[in-house]
Every structure is written in C-alpha cells, then in structure tokens.
Amino acid sequence: EQDWLKTNLAKFSRMMQGQKDLETVSRSIMSELTPLVSAHHGAFYIMDNVDGSPSLRLIASYAYKQRKHLGNRFRLGEGLVGQAALEKKSILLTNVPDDYIQINSGLGEAPPRNIVVLPILFEGEVKAVVELASFLPFSQIHQLFLDQLAESVGVVLNMIAANMRTEELLEQSQALTGELQSQSEELRKQQEELRKSNGELESQAQTLKASEELLKEQQEELQQVNEELEEKAALLAEQNRKVEQKNSEVEQARQALEEKAAQLSLSSKYKSEFLANMSHELRTPLNSLLILAKQLSSNPDGNLSGKQVEFAQTILSSGTDLLTLINDILDLSKVEAGKMEVNAVTFPLREVTEFCERNFRQLATEKKLSFDLEIAPDLPAEMRTDRQRLQQLLRNLLGNAFKFAEKGGVALRVRRAPSRQYANPILDRAETVVAFHVEDSGIGIAKDKQRLIFEAFQQADGTTSRKFGGTGLGLSISREIARLLGGEIHVESEEGKGSTFTLFLPLSYEPDPELDPGLEIEDRFADRGSRIADRWKNREKIDPRSTVHDARSEEADAGADRNPLGDDRETIEPGDRVLLVIENDERFARILLDLARDKNFKTLVALDGESGMRLVHEYKPDAITLDIDLPGIDGWAVLERLKHHPATRHIPVHIVSGIDKRQQGLRAGAISYLEKPVTKEALEDSLDQINHFIEKGIKTLLVVEDDENQRKSIIELIGDEDVEITAVGSAQEALEQLGIKQFDCMVLDLGLKDTSGFTLLETIKTNPTMQSMPIIIYTGKELSQNEETQLRRYAETIIVKDARSPERLLDETALFLHRVEAQLPEQKRRILEQLHSADAVFAGKRVLVVDDDVRNIFALTSLLENNGMTVGFAENGKDAIQRLKEDTNYDVVLMDVMMPEMDGYETTRAIRNTPEFRSLPIIALTAKAMKGDREKCIEAGASDYITKPVDTDQLLSLMRVWLYR
C-alpha cells in the first residue's frame, strides 16, 4: 500500500509539472484520479470571485451529467461543496440515498453509495474542491492518498494562478511597450514632416518673411511636445523595469515556497520513520529482557535463592521503568505532532479529589507529609473536559510535588480563576476558568530555571550530581496536554520555599479551531504499556534490604482482613442472599451497600480487585457488582478470573463503571452493564433484575437450527433440569418465540431456509428489548473475514462446527446461562474440566516463532516450552513459509512484524494464500506500537495482535483463546 501510495503521488506530481492552464490540469486530475480510487463520478470546482464574492465554479468533471435542479456554482457554506470549502475539511458520506445522484452509462444507471468531498488548500486558503462518488467504500489508503494529493494539487493550483497573473502583467507590459513604440513612430513621422516644413520654410524665407515669427513660435511648441514625449518614454521604460523586477520576485518566492514545502514534507517523513524505528529498536531487546526477567522472578523450578529472585525482580522493575521512558517520549511526540485527540466528557468535580486521594494518600503517609485536598464551594458541581488527560496532568504535577518535598506537605486546591489575561485565547473566551493549584514545601525553583523546566529532558538541577532523578519529560508533556485541553500551566516558586504549579482549564472544553479534530487519539498500545509501568512502579516495588516483597499482595491481604464501610460479613448466615460490591469509590460503594440492604441483600464490600477475589472464594456470593477502574488488578482481570474458575463462573456479574466498554463486558460474560454516572432508579432496577435472576432458578435457552438432528443433538448436549430449551427450525419461528417470552441466551445457526442468519441477528440486536440477550453463533459455514467482522458486532461468541465444537458450545452456554458447574451431570462436568485445563490446551501443541532477533526467539521458546508446548522457529519470512510447507502440523504462529527482506505483513499474506493455512491462528507481535498497526496486521490476515514488550500472561491468555477455538 505504501508503494502504491508513493508511486501514484509521484505519478501525479510528474503529470502536474509544467502545467500552465487550470482547465487542462483539472481535467487531467479528474481523468486520472477518479478511476484510481475506484470512483465512478467526479467534479472539480475552482475558487474564483464574482462581484467580489468568493464562490466555487465547476471547471472539470468525470462522467458528470448536468441536471436542472443542481447548479455549477456554489457559495461558501452552500451544499457539501461549499461546506467543505468553508470548514476546510474533508466530508465523507456513506450509504447515500438512491435519489441523491445517478451514475449512468450506455447500459444503465445506478446511485453511488459513498461520496467524498475534498477541499484543496494552499497555506490555509481554499483553492478548489474535488467531489468523488463511488459504488464502493473508500478504503483507508485511498483516503490517505486523497489527503496527501490535496496538498500537492494545492501547490500546483497556486503556482498556475501565480503564473497566469504573471502572464497577465507581462501582456499589460507588452501592450504599454507597443503603445510607446506607436507614439515614438508617430513622433518620428512628425519630426520628418517638421524637417520638410523647415526646408520649405527656409527655401521660401525670402517670400515668407512675414510668417517668420509664427514659425518660431511653432518650433518652440514642437520642442515642448518633444520634451513631454521624452519624459513619457522614460516613464514607460521605468515601468518596464519594475514589471521585470516584480516577475523576478514572484519566481523567487515560488521557488522558495516549493523548497519549504519539500523540506517540511521530508522532515515529517523522517520524524515518523524515526519514531517507528526507535520504538521497534528499543522495544525488541526490552521484550526479551522483560519476558526472561518475569520467568526468573516467578522461579517456576524453585531453584533460585531469595536474593536471586530479588535480582530478577529488580531487572524487571528497571526494564519496566525503561518502557515508561519510551512511552513518555512517544507520548510527547504524538502531542507535538497533533495526533492526540481529546475525549471530552462531563463528570463531577469531586472525582478529581477522589482520584488524588486514591493515588497519593498512601505516598503522603509513607513520606510523613501532610496532604490537603480542597474544592472551592463557589465552583459548579460538574466539569466537562478529557477526564483521563486531566488525571494525567494532576498525576504529573502531584508526583513532582511529592518527589521534591521532604518535609511539610503538599496541597491541591481547586478554585475559580480570577479574570486575567491568558496566553491561550480559549481561556480568554471561556465563561468560567478553573484553577488547579498544586502547592508543595519542596526545594523550589530558581527564577532563571522556571521556563527551562517545561522543555523536554530539562530539569531545574541538570548537574550530574543532582539529588532527584527523572527524565525531565513530565512537565513538557503536561504543558502540551494542557494546551490541547485549551489551558495552560503557570509556576510560582522561590528557592528553598517550595513551589506552586497552577493548571488553568476552561470549565467546559472548547476545541481549538487551529487544531485538526479529525486526528485520532493516542496510540492505545503505547498508553497501555505506560499504564502497566505505572502499576508496577506504584504497587509492586522491591525493598532491596529484605527478601522479595510483593506490596500489592500485602495490600490485598490487609484489605481483605478489614471490614470496609461496616458491611454485613459478620452477620451472614446460611440461606442469606449475598451481594458482593467491588468498587474503589467508597462513597459510591456506600450507596450500593444501602440500596442492596433495602432490597434484602446481605452485602459485602471490596475496594480493590484482590480483596474482591478473596471475598468471592470465601463467601460464594449470589451476585457481584463490579467496577472496572480498580487499583491493583483491574475489573477486566477480575471478570476474566471469575469466568475462568469453575467455582465462580456461574455467578452473575453486573458491571457498573465509568468506562464505556459495554460490548466487551457482555462478551466476557457479564450479565449487564451500567455506565457511570448512574441514577438511583437505574441501580434499583439492576438490583431488582439480580433478585429476579436468582429467584428464577431455571434458565431459558432458544436454539435456532434448521436441521432436526442437529437440534436434537444440541438439546441432548445442553439440556438438564436447570435449563428450559426451546428449539425452532426457522427465523420466523424464532421471532415468534422471542415475542412470547424472554430468553436468557440464544444459539443461532446461520444456514436458515427462510432467511439469512445475518438478517435475523441484525433484527434481534436492533430491538431494544432484546439487545442484552447473549447470542452464540453455531455454524458449519466457512466464514470470510468480512462476515466474521459483521458477526462480531452483534454476537458474543462464534463457534464453527468441528470435532471440538460440541464441548465449546456446552462451555459457552454454561457461561452465558450462569450454570453452576458443580451441579451439572458428571459427564458434562468432566467435559468442561478437560476443556478449561490450561495444561490440556497447551500440552503437545506446536508453535512456530518467526522473529529475526535471536534473543526474542530464546525468550519466547523458554516461556512456551515451560507451558508444555513444542517450539519451532524461523528467522525470516521466507524460512517461515518453507517450514510450514515442510511441516503442516503447527497449531499456531507467532509472527514478528519488523523483519528484513520479507516483513510480517507480507509473510502473513503469503501464508493466508495457501488454502490449508487459511484457518491457522497467526498472532502478530510488533515493537512499533504506532497508530494503525493493529488494523494493518488484521488486514494482512493476522488472527490477533499483541505489542512488545510482550506481557507473558496476556500472550498465554491470547494463545489459549485461539488454541481453544
């Protein structure tokens, strides 16, 4: 795709070189561009002024048919063409109505389905607008090509306009020169006539003495006329010289502009390539270091001493610190490049102090510092901005404050900012500005260093003997993120007397019109690595003076031993209905505790994931409410552990979280999902649903399968006293049953006779009353990549019928029906036990590791062999393909993306082109972690994607999923 992109950009550059006519170049562009991006209809509008009003005029087209109700000229803001010119942004339309426009030929006509309107800009000024229509969606590479081509076309249009203006001035100059020559010729003729007249007068002097005085006067008048003509000639010569000078200046400016554009393009290209390569080169050796250090620290063979395990922990901690530094550098680069987007939400201001209390109170206690949190009462209760970015800013500022304060204390005071002049114009326009004052009693900052500390890799004390560590990136990143949120950071400090950093933000976020809002948010993989590093640094610290110390486990043990909020654990008796609340916000946990008691639940409360898991196994609650944003292990990890343990997977889990990941939660086995902020009524309804689910006892399952023998087999496989199964053979019968009663789960075959299973699935999931019902696709159809993507929008699980599919169907229905595994018949229980055994999944499985770095091969081989797998390896793509041809019995492939000669994308495509390997799981591994990598891997044919340094638990979990499938 990159070759295609660069080749066609170069092709258009060559085509447009030397063009001098706007109509000619626009027709050439439309003739070449429209078919190149698989469009079938196009129009090219040029910007011009009519009566001093700017408008867009149709100048060229492709397969365009004029219609009476459509004009060939648009003012700014008029229609999509004018709107694109007004906003200076591209507009993409999909699913265009049938009566919008018709693409016709001699054989017929049809409406397009996708339209893109692309403004052509030069230095922020609209030069033209291109409109393209297609039957097919515009691919990502086509959109990228159009965006980059627009810049080149804008330069060419501007250059042609400048040349046309130059030619116009030249024509005027030539006209003036011709007029001067005409006047000079006329003067010469007059002089000749005068000389003749003088000769005649001299020859007749004797006879015309009376006319002598008259002739003298005429000669004087003629001399005056001559002088005036000479002055005009000199003036015209001066004008000609100035025109030539102006033409020379225009040409120099054009050349300078072209050079600057080329330099900017080259600089941007080099920076992007440097970031990608730097990420790869740093993460690749770090991958081996972290994997092997994790292996050593876990001491699976039990042959290491406590001190050796401690050394391995130290290596792992240092490697994770290095990963944090890499992510900080990438984060800073993304902000500077404008590739970090703002996700503004409305949230209570009190969450700010709760977040700071949660993250820094323990640190303040350890350092014996006071920690004050204050929100001014005159501030509004809610604020609208990017909550995650605000937390990142406060984490950086408070982290610095605690680092540099050795005595005294730290304070965060949130107040309404007084009226003042700001450097950021967004703050000047804001009705209310919130000031976050972070005060500390630390070492202070000298006046001459207060500007320096906001520069990347700079600190107030930059000497080699400095007392405090750090990279000097935190404040630089904070400054850029504050600007992105429409704010700014000020500092007031005096050496030896502490510092006050003030973050000013508008109460309601307003996008900066100078920034492109279309740029996507951070690279989520780099940010994920940063979060992992933060957790390790803050919760898994090593004490070098003692044996291995797991702070997180100790914290969890302590949390489990205490009784937070005075819950009901001391009064629970057999037969009580028990609800476990896992929630890190104590105030919200108190609300849930009171509401649950009102609904006759005995309630347990855990403020972190570790404590929650401990209470689950100790008390076996009837239901669980779960927050995702938990300290220690997060909610996703808790949910995964619950649903992978036979003793807890049947417990219904209701997620209540501020993270909008509803589909992910339901697919993981949650029974419902509420997004914060949540009303009291919604919480009461959720508790009523829990009560109803517990009282219900018998679960209901709808099986939609057109083959009668298959229906009987499914009923025999799943059926028991705790499940009521309704089996139908058509989509119409399924809809009738769904209209009669509510089902807890549905098993759907795609090959129905009366209608497509895809159509039935979409009908069910677009009905609000059925949206929460989990659906399991159970089909023998060979699914294409597009079909699988379409199914995953609605279905929780897809099972393709094969030798192991009955076991998987039993397992998945048990998960979504929340069946108690211990109460199943012995035969079915044995099936699930064998299926869930990690050793059974990995034992004897063959893995092919494709990586050009021997260190990574060694690290991954050690990890996989310890889990009972047989490992083969290849150091490049060609060897990998050859290995697979020689031995087709591999169960999974781990594919590195960055390899010489034949990279991971090309190798994956080549493997997928072989029919026998189309279903072989291929997991891509990359150290680049740049935006778009995941999409490129999946598009190339990879089954899944994971970033380096590899999280070994995540890799094994991912492999278990694909081997299980």
Side-chain angles (χ1 to χ4, degrees):
E1 288 181 349
Q2 290 297 321
D3 289 343
W4 180 92
L5 177 65
K6 294 177 181 178
T7 299
N8 285 289
L9 285 173
K11 173 185 174 183
F12 273 81
S13 297
R14 290 194 301 272
M15 182 185 74
M16 292 186 293
Q17 283 181 355
Q19 294 286 350
K20 296 183 178 180
D21 181 66
L22 288 175
E23 292 187 2
T24 301
V25 74
S26 60
R27 283 197 298 270
S28 298
I29 290 171
M30 295 307 298
S31 297
E32 294 292 331
L33 176 61
T34 308
L36 181 62
V37 297
S38 300
H40 309 90
H41 186 79
F44 192 106
Y45 298 86
I46 196 72
M47 179 67 77
D48 62 8
N49 288 320
V50 178
D51 300 330
S53 175
S55 62
L56 293 152
R57 171 174 58 86
L58 180 66
I59 190 172
S61 64
Y62 184 94
Y64 179 82
K65 180 179 179 182
Q66 186 172 353
R67 291 191 286 180
K68 292 182 180 180
H69 63 285
L70 292 178
N72 290 339
R73 184 180 292 274
F74 296 88
R75 295 186 178 89
L76 293 183
E78 184 178 33
L80 290 179
V81 174
Q83 189 64 30
L86 179 64
E87 295 183 351
K88 301 180 181 179
K89 300 176 187 174
S90 299
I91 298 175
L92 177 65
L93 297 183
T94 58
N95 298 323
V96 177
D98 290 346
D99 59 349
Y100 189 83
I101 193 171
Q102 297 289 323
I103 298 177
N104 56 61
S105 69
L107 299 178
E109 63 181 17
R113 290 305 178 194
N114 297 273
I115 292 178
V116 63
V117 184
L118 184 71
I120 306 299
L121 306 178
F122 180 78
E123 293 187 346
E125 180 181 357
V126 178
K127 295 295 182 180
V129 171
V130 175
E131 183 176 17
L132 298 171
S134 174
F135 295 121
L136 304 173
F138 290 98
S139 67
Q140 183 178 3
I141 191 66
H142 284 166
Q143 295 180 38
L144 179 60
F145 171 72
L146 290 173
D147 290 339
Q148 295 190 13
L149 180 62
E151 299 177 1
S152 302
V153 174
V155 173
V156 171
L157 293 182
N158 183 75
M159 181 176 67
I160 292 175
N163 289 340
M164 291 175 65
R165 177 58 180 165
T166 301
E167 290 176 1
E168 181 181 350
L169 293 174
L170 182 60
E171 289 175 0
Q172 291 178 2
S173 173
Q174 290 173 345
L176 290 173
T177 302
E179 183 179 352
L180 175 62
Q181 291 174 348
S182 176
Q183 290 178 352
S184 298
E185 183 62 25
E186 183 178 351
L187 177 60
R188 187 185 62 78
K189 290 179 180 178
Q190 289 178 353
Q191 288 176 338
E192 288 293 330
E193 291 175 359
L194 286 173
R195 281 197 293 270
K196 290 179 182 178
S197 298
N198 287 336
E200 292 176 357
L201 288 172
E202 289 176 356
S203 64
Q204 297 175 2
Q206 297 301 323
T207 57
L208 298 173
K209 290 182 180 180
S211 304
E212 187 176 1
E213 293 296 328
L214 179 62
L215 288 174
K216 287 182 180 181
E217 291 176 2
Q218 290 178 343
Q219 287 177 346
E220 290 175 357
E221 291 176 359
L222 287 174
Q223 185 177 359
Q224 185 177 356
V225 170
N226 286 339
E227 291 174 354
E228 291 176 355
L229 289 175
E230 289 175 356
E231 290 177 1
K232 289 181 179 180
L235 180 60
L236 288 174
E238 180 65 20
Q239 289 178 345
N240 281 339
R241 188 185 65 78
K242 289 182 178 179
V243 168
E244 291 176 357
Q245 182 179 357
K246 186 70 70 177
N247 289 342
S248 176
E249 292 175 355
V250 169
E251 179 63 20
Q252 291 176 0
R254 184 186 65 79
Q255 292 177 356
L257 187 62
E258 289 180 352
E259 291 176 0
K260 184 177 180 182
Q263 291 172 357
L264 288 174
S265 176
L266 191 61
S267 174
S268 177
K269 174 186 175 183
Y270 285 165
K271 184 173 183 179
S272 298
E273 291 180 353
F274 169 75
L275 286 176
N277 291 330
M278 183 197 73
S279 173
H280 176 265
E281 295 303 327
L282 290 177
R283 288 169 182 262
T284 295
L286 192 59
N287 178 60
S288 304
L289 186 149
L290 291 180
I291 290 176
L292 295 176
K294 183 74 175 291
Q295 286 273 91
L296 290 173
S297 64
S298 62
N299 195 13
D301 298 329
N303 58 353
L304 298 180
S305 67
K307 182 63 68 175
Q308 289 171 328
V309 173
E310 184 181 333
F311 291 161
Q313 290 272 17
T314 304
I315 295 171
L316 182 59
S317 177
S318 300
T320 309
D321 290 343
L322 179 57
L323 177 62
T324 303
L325 173 59
I326 296 170
N327 291 329
D328 280 346
I329 295 172
L330 291 175
D331 214 18
L332 179 62
S333 301
K334 283 182 290 183
V335 175
E336 290 177 346
K339 293 190 176 182
M340 185 175 285
E341 147 185 306
V342 175
N343 181 24
V345 296
T346 301
F347 59 91
L349 259 177
R350 60 178 174 78
E351 287 190 6
V352 173
T353 53
E354 291 171 358
F355 165 80
C356 298
E357 174 75 22
R358 212 165 44 236
N359 284 272
F360 290 98
R361 177 60 67 185
Q362 182 62 30
L363 179 60
T365 302
E366 291 175 358
K367 297 193 68 172
K368 298 181 180 180
L369 298 173
S370 64
F371 184 30
D372 299 329
L373 297 168
E374 173 192 332
I375 297 181
D378 63 334
L379 277 173
E382 294 183 332
M383 181 178 188
R384 184 176 184 276
T385 189
D386 190 317
R387 176 164 44 193
Q388 181 183 355
R389 297 298 172 201
L390 175 57
Q391 291 176 356
Q392 183 178 356
L393 287 170
L394 294 177
R395 186 188 293 114
N396 284 347
L397 296 177
L398 286 170
N400 279 346
F402 278 104
K403 180 167 71 172
F404 293 109
E406 296 183 331
K407 59 182 179 179
V410 175
L412 170 64
R413 311 191 193 281
V414 186
R415 297 171 178 165
R416 187 188 297 267
S419 299
R420 56 173 296 170
Q421 186 70 32
Y422 296 99
N424 194 324
I426 294 179
L427 290 174
D428 289 329
R429 295 194 298 267
E431 293 184 5
T432 303
V433 176
V434 181
F436 298 85
H437 301 283
V438 177
E439 304 169 0
D440 68 73
S441 58
I443 61 174
I445 307 167
K447 286 288 185 183
D448 59 341
K449 299 292 180 65
Q450 291 180 10
R451 182 180 296 273
L452 179 70
I453 58 173
F454 286 98
E455 301 299 325
F457 301 105
Q458 297 293 330
Q459 295 181 317
D461 181 6
T463 64
T464 57
S465 60
R466 65 177 185 264
K467 180 179 180 181
F468 300 97
T471 62
L473 286 173
L475 287 177
S476 181
I477 295 174
S478 299
R479 179 191 61 182
E480 297 300 327
I481 293 178
R483 181 186 61 80
L484 193 66
L485 297 181
E488 55 191 53
I489 299 177
H490 294 184
V491 60
E492 297 178 3
S493 182
E494 186 176 344
E495 282 191 280
K497 295 185 178 180
S499 307
T500 298
F501 285 82
T502 303
L503 167 64
F504 294 99
L505 289 179
L507 182 67
S508 180
Y509 167 75
E510 174 189 348
D512 189 344
E514 296 182 359
L515 297 177
D516 182 0
L519 292 174
E520 293 193 2
I521 199 167
E522 62 188 344
D523 182 328
R524 72 183 180 91
F525 301 107
D527 183 64
R528 180 182 177 281
S530 178
R531 292 198 301 271
I532 293 171
D534 285 345
R535 285 185 192 164
W536 183 264
K537 287 180 67 178
N538 294 334
R539 297 182 174 85
E540 295 183 308
K541 295 181 179 178
I542 300 169
D543 184 354
R545 296 166 298 179
S546 64
T547 59
V548 180
H549 178 68
D550 188 341
R552 187 175 63 182
S553 299
E554 191 172 279
E555 177 187 348
D557 293 343
D561 291 337
R562 69 177 186 270
N563 189 348
L565 308 182
D567 63 15
D568 302 324
R569 68 185 66 186
E570 305 297 335
T571 62
I572 293 177
E573 297 178 356
D576 286 343
R577 187 166 294 175
V578 179
L579 174 70
L580 170 60
V581 175
I582 306 178
E583 169 63 56
N584 71 329
D585 184 340
E586 291 192 19
R587 295 182 184 176
F588 189 61
R590 167 63 70 184
I591 293 172
L592 289 172
L593 175 64
D594 294 339
L595 288 175
R597 284 172 172 169
D598 292 342
K599 298 292 182 180
N600 297 320
F601 281 101
K602 289 291 182 70
T603 308
L604 303 167
V605 177
L607 301 178
D608 59 77
E610 291 283 358
S611 301
M613 290 301 302
R614 193 181 183 93
L615 291 174
V616 169
H617 290 286
E618 182 177 353
Y619 289 93
K620 300 294 190 298
D622 297 290
I624 299 171
T625 67
L626 176 64
D627 187 14
I628 296 300
D629 186 16
L630 296 173
I633 61 170
D634 64 11
W636 297 124
V638 171
L639 183 59
E640 182 182 10
R641 292 186 187 183
L642 289 172
K643 295 305 176 183
H644 281 81
H645 197 291
T648 60
R649 69 195 313 259
H650 67 280
I651 301 175
V653 178
H654 300 252
I655 297 177
V656 184
S657 175
I659 300 174
D660 183 13
K661 297 287 185 181
R662 176 183 175 83
Q663 192 68 17
Q664 180 180 344
L666 297 179
R667 282 181 179 169
I671 196 170
S672 68
Y673 198 108
L674 290 177
E675 184 181 355
K676 297 178 182 178
V678 60
T679 63
K680 178 183 177 184
E681 291 75 13
L683 290 174
E684 290 177 339
D685 288 344
S686 181
L687 292 171
D688 289 339
Q689 291 176 15
I690 295 173
N691 265 322
H692 175 71
F693 185 85
I694 296 172
E695 293 171 354
K696 186 177 181 181
I698 296 178
K699 312 302 189 299
T700 55
L701 174 68
L702 176 62
V703 177
V704 186
E705 168 64 64
D706 63 337
D707 187 289
E708 184 176 357
N709 291 329
Q710 287 277 4
R711 289 201 301 273
K712 291 180 180 178
S713 299
I714 293 173
I715 294 173
E716 179 67 23
L717 174 70
I718 301 173
D720 200 43
E721 296 178 355
D722 63 330
V723 179
E724 177 186 314
I725 301 178
T726 303
V728 298
S730 67
Q732 182 61 38
E733 291 176 293
L735 291 173
E736 290 174 359
Q737 290 296 327
L738 289 168
I740 295 172
K741 61 188 296 187
Q742 184 176 357
F743 289 90
D744 297 311
C745 183
M746 183 173 90
V747 176
L748 171 63
D749 181 24
L750 297 178
L752 303 177
K753 295 178 181 178
D754 56 342
T755 187
S756 164
F758 291 93
T759 304
L760 176 59
L761 183 64
E762 189 169 354
T763 301
I764 293 173
K765 284 300 186 179
T766 52
N767 187 326
T769 62
M770 307 178 192
Q771 283 181 347
S772 60
M773 178 181 66
I775 297 177
I776 301 171
I777 302 299
Y778 189 57
T779 181
K781 175 180 171 61
E782 185 76 18
L783 297 175
S784 67
Q785 188 170 347
N786 289 337
E787 288 174 331
E788 186 169 347
T789 301
Q790 182 181 354
L791 286 175
R792 292 198 182 280
R793 292 174 53 200
Y794 301 120
E796 274 61 34
T797 301
I798 301 172
I799 302 175
V800 178
K801 296 175 183 176
D802 57 22
R804 295 295 303 275
S805 58
E807 292 92 331
R808 285 200 59 208
L809 182 60
L810 175 62
D811 180 51
E812 296 292 342
T813 54
L815 173 65
F816 291 112
L817 290 174
H818 305 279
R819 302 177 74 179
V820 181
E821 189 169 320
Q823 297 177 3
L824 293 175
E826 183 179 354
Q827 180 184 3
K828 296 177 182 180
R829 203 163 57 242
R830 280 203 307 269
I831 292 173
L832 295 180
E833 287 173 356
Q834 183 178 3
L835 193 63
H836 290 151
S837 170
D839 293 338
V841 172
F842 290 137
K845 291 297 188 293
R846 305 189 66 221
V847 185
L848 178 62
V849 178
V850 186
D851 199 312
D852 64 326
D853 192 309
V854 178
R855 297 168 298 182
N856 280 340
I857 292 176
F858 172 72
L860 290 171
T861 300
S862 302
L863 170 69
L864 300 175
E865 287 180 346
N866 285 341
N867 283 274
M869 287 176 270
T870 302
V871 182
F873 65 89
E875 295 186 20
N876 56 63
K878 292 181 179 178
D879 288 349
I881 295 171
Q882 186 62 33
R883 288 291 296 270
L884 288 173
K885 287 181 179 178
E886 295 172 354
D887 185 354
T888 61
N889 293 322
Y890 282 103
D891 298 292
V892 65
V893 175
L894 301 183
M895 179 72 67
D896 186 27
V897 170
M898 294 289 288
M899 293 186 294
E901 296 185 29
M902 192 174 187
D903 63 18
Y905 302 124
E906 187 178 354
T907 307
T908 302
R909 291 190 190 97
I911 294 174
R912 289 299 188 220
N913 286 334
T914 305
E916 58 189 311
F917 298 135
R918 284 179 182 167
S919 61
L920 176 66
I922 301 176
I923 300 175
L925 292 84
T926 179
K928 288 178 66 176
M930 301 300 286
K931 186 173 77 70
D933 278 357
R934 178 181 178 82
E935 291 73 15
K936 289 169 65 178
C937 290
I938 300 303
E939 185 179 350
S943 308
D944 221 316
Y945 168 99
I946 189 171
T947 59
K948 294 180 181 178
V950 172
D951 183 327
T952 55
D953 293 335
Q954 183 188 5
L955 176 61
L956 292 175
S957 177
L958 202 60
M959 293 178 66
R960 185 178 294 113
V961 169
W962 284 101
L963 291 172
Y964 171 56
R965 290 179 179 177

